[in-house]
Amino acid sequence: MLNIVIFGAPGSGKGTQSEYIVRKYGLHHVSTGDVLRAELKDGTELGKIAKGYMDEGKLLPDDLIVHMLASKLDGLKDSKGVIFDGFPRTIAQADALKKMLTTRGQDVSVMLNLEVPEDELMTRLIKRGRETGRTDDNEETIKNRLTVYHSQTTPVIDWYKREGKHRHIDGIGTKERIFRDICEVVDAVND
Ligand code: AP5
Ligand code: MG
């Protein structure tokens, strides 16, 4: 079983690289942001709760997200493994993921930390906002998302370093070059 956590700031390329990884390694892609946007579109209770947090660039409460993720995992069949995109984003979520996988006799294989300088993140997200209309891709909300990333999410890096699972990935350059670097790391843990 190959379970990958793809980690990084807003706009670092988690979703983009997840698509390549899914195609090459046949994993299930679980993006908490995508799940929440689908709930919002469907007008579910969870979607209504999520909207306020997402519009402000704040994280949803851990218990809600952990519950949502657990039911996603329960729904997966014939899995070669999962790529977790946008989760865990807090220490509590990292602890919860470890417990969830342990009860299934599994663990995280590797955590890929996509590192990209802040000015590049802002440029990418403003561009995407213009092109796709994603509502949290406006300057004010992006700034909030980055602040939340630094205060609540970066402690997760040390958490995975302590587990011996953290790998740095240079997230600047072509999508193809970044993917080649990712494959080297993944192939080394997937023997
Ligand atoms: P989420 O959807 O996870 O958003 P995010 O983390 O802010 O990250 P993005 O999806 O914006 O960026 P990405 O890293 O996927 O980059 P992408 O590949 O798209 O979360 C949204 C919200 O949901 C949160 O703010 C929160 O409210 C809530 N939420 C989600 N998970 C949660 C959790 N676990 N706990 C609590 N709340 C949660 O790339 C970005 C752009 O750059 C694209 O246009 C892409 O084409 C371009 N690009 C990609 N790679 C390159 C490259 N190498 N060169 C140039 N451009 C590139
Ligand atoms: Mg994404």
Side-chain angles (χ1 to χ4, degrees):
M1 204 64 81
L2 179 63
N3 291 313
I4 299 176
V5 169
I6 191 153
F7 183 92
S12 57
K14 302 184 292 293
T16 304
Q17 294 298 329
S18 291
E19 281 182 30
Y20 293 143
I21 293 169
V22 164
R23 235 176 287 144
K24 174 156 181 182
Y25 296 97
L27 306 181
H28 285 286
H29 181 202
V30 177
S31 156
T32 42
D34 288 351
V35 174
L36 292 171
R37 279 183 288 278
E39 297 275 342
L40 219 147
K41 194 159 161 263
D42 294 345
T44 66
E45 272 315 301
L46 177 58
K48 284 176 196 155
I49 296 169
K51 186 177 176 0
Y53 289 95
M54 294 173 88
D55 283 348
E56 289 187 36
K58 290 184 180 157
L59 298 184
L60 273 80
D62 287 327
D63 53 345
L64 266 183
I65 289 286
V66 167
H67 184 260
M68 180 181 99
L69 192 95
S71 46
K72 274 275 152 204
L73 284 190
D74 287 339
L76 298 181
K77 301 223 163 56
D78 303 328
S79 181
K80 288 187 188 170
V82 175
I83 175 139
F84 297 93
D85 163 2
F87 181 95
R89 268 172 139 97
T90 61
I91 298 285
Q93 292 181 17
D95 285 333
L97 179 60
K98 187 164 178 78
K99 278 202 197 106
M100 252 185 266
L101 291 176
T102 302
T103 56
R104 291 167 171 82
Q106 298 177 38
D107 200 356
V108 165
S109 314
V110 70
M111 183 266 219
L112 306 170
N113 182 12
L114 286 168
E115 295 187 61
V116 175
E118 205 124 306
D119 52 344
E120 168 73 8
L121 296 171
M122 185 56 92
T123 305
R124 287 183 189 179
L125 294 178
I126 292 284
K127 181 163 178 272
R128 185 180 60 187
R130 255 191 261 118
E131 288 170 355
T132 69
R134 187 168 142 175
T135 52
D136 57 350
D137 283 344
N138 62 79
E139 192 172 346
E140 192 190 339
T141 310
I142 296 167
K143 281 186 181 154
N144 290 343
R145 285 157 68 196
L146 290 170
T147 302
V148 164
Y149 171 74
H150 289 299
S151 59
Q152 291 178 262
T153 303
T154 52
V156 171
I157 296 172
D158 279 341
W159 194 97
Y160 279 103
K161 281 184 178 167
R162 283 194 297 275
E163 294 270 304
K165 300 285 166 70
H166 172 274
R167 300 289 187 279
H168 158 81
I169 302 287
D170 178 4
I172 282 277
T174 67
K175 295 172 186 178
E176 292 72 22
R177 201 236 69 237
I178 296 164
F179 183 56
R180 277 200 301 277
D181 290 357
I182 287 177
C183 290
E184 259 183 45
V185 169
V186 171
D187 291 341
V189 296
N190 188 31
D191 40 29

